[in-house]
Amino acid sequence: MDSMTDTASSDPLALWREALVRSVRSEAPDLSTRQMAILLAVYTTPPPHTVRGLAAELGVAKPVISRALDTLGALGLLRRKRDERDRRNVLVQRTVRGAVFLSEFRDLVAAARAAAA
Amino acid sequence: MDSMTDTASSDPLALWREALVRSVRSEAPDLSTRQMAILLAVYTTPPPHTVRGLAAELGVAKPVISRALDTLGALGLLRRKRDERDRRNVLVQRTVRGAVFLSEFRDLVAAARAAAA
DNA sequence: TGAATTCGGTACGCTGGCGTAACGATCGGT
DNA sequence: ACCGATCGTTACGCCAGCGTACCGAATTCA
């Protein structure tokens, strides 16, 4: 009855495994922890989101955010927009594609929860 | 009352965000989805775990597993061992360091759940 | 207006992961 | 003892991310 090896366990790790395995098996891009954290920060916390703000929130250097925005932007999961109030700032905005991606991810977690319950 | 922007929401995505942000802020290595899925598969499903088995389970090519084992092994999170019954096989085994890492990750998810509840 | 500050991005050299294709080692069957 | 199949790894050329340092644009304040 080792909880670390019990597939039917309610251990949160089992849920994470189920969800991640499903994500890998799907065609979803193989994002890093940092990239996923940025994406979720943009979509589940209220705007505005700036490069500096995200860097501070995650405790990483600015170029990390800049590069992640390049990649996530190329995937169409979010979008940059100049702040017209203060043109030094970049506002990170949501996209339809990003919302769809995270909606599917939410479903995937729900399915994992059902399977690992 | 947009659930996508409600920090106190019980949306599973908010929990994931909290957990991932905490992981990024900690000194934990920035693993990819694939790497984390492999690690969790080894630690939350019963052995034995082989390269081919993990590749099939995740629906990826063998070299993906081989390289991930290199990296995760270098981090001390798991270990390779030759199968003496059939020396073609490699058995992926757990390590103390890996168990500690996942235990901390579990705590981190629990803390995130408390914060995002 | 001129200097100092703030913001985001880029350059650099390096490391690590990718997919495909090939490889050596090991096993099973005849 | 051979031959074919299976296992995991490695080679290849390529692309993405790293941390540090620096850059230009925009803003603030004296």
Side-chain angles (χ1 to χ4, degrees):
Chain A
M1 291 305 179
D2 179 5
S3 67
M4 289 295 285
T5 63
D6 186 353
T7 305
S9 170
S10 59
D11 189 320
L13 294 187
L15 170 64
W16 277 72
R17 172 183 51 79
E18 277 292 334
L20 290 186
V21 167
R22 283 160 194 267
S23 177
V24 170
R25 294 196 65 92
S26 75
E27 299 301 326
D30 186 32
L31 301 182
S32 70
T33 302
R34 286 175 168 189
Q35 291 169 332
M36 193 64 178
I38 291 169
L39 197 57
L40 286 169
V42 170
Y43 278 82
T44 69
T45 62
H49 296 288
T50 65
V51 172
R52 201 158 197 82
L54 290 169
E57 182 179 350
L58 298 181
V60 298
K62 282 183 302 175
V64 169
I65 306 297
S66 238
R67 285 185 291 248
L69 295 186
D70 289 343
T71 301
L72 296 172
L75 292 171
L77 300 180
L78 46 74
R79 180 165 52 101
R80 276 188 253 234
K81 186 176 189 308
R82 273 286 164 201
D83 182 354
E84 295 302 333
R85 312 259 225 160
D86 183 343
R87 295 185 50 76
R88 287 175 301 184
N89 294 333
V90 161
L91 303 177
V92 182
Q93 301 190 315
R94 305 170 187 173
T95 63
V96 172
R97 188 171 172 72
V100 168
F101 174 80
L102 288 184
S103 177
E104 290 174 349
F105 188 77
R106 190 193 295 109
D107 295 347
L108 187 147
V109 172
R113 176 172 292 120
Chain B
M1 291 304 178
D2 179 5
S3 67
M4 290 294 285
T5 63
D6 186 354
T7 305
S9 169
S10 60
D11 189 320
L13 294 186
L15 171 63
W16 277 73
R17 172 183 53 77
E18 276 293 333
L20 291 186
V21 167
R22 283 159 195 269
S23 178
V24 170
R25 292 195 67 91
S26 75
E27 300 301 326
D30 185 32
L31 302 183
S32 70
T33 303
R34 286 175 169 189
Q35 291 169 332
M36 192 63 177
I38 291 169
L39 197 58
L40 285 170
V42 170
Y43 278 81
T44 69
T45 62
H49 297 287
T50 65
V51 172
R52 198 157 199 82
L54 289 168
E57 182 179 350
L58 298 181
V60 298
K62 283 183 301 176
V64 169
I65 306 297
S66 237
R67 285 185 290 248
L69 295 186
D70 289 343
T71 301
L72 296 172
L75 291 171
L77 301 180
L78 46 76
R79 179 166 51 102
R80 278 188 252 234
K81 186 177 190 308
R82 274 286 164 201
D83 182 354
E84 294 302 333
R85 311 258 225 164
D86 182 344
R87 296 184 49 77
R88 287 175 299 184
N89 294 333
V90 160
L91 304 177
V92 183
Q93 301 191 315
R94 304 169 188 175
T95 63
V96 172
R97 187 170 172 74
V100 169
F101 173 80
L102 288 183
S103 177
E104 291 174 348
F105 188 77
R106 190 193 297 110
D107 295 347
L108 188 146
V109 173
R113 176 172 292 121

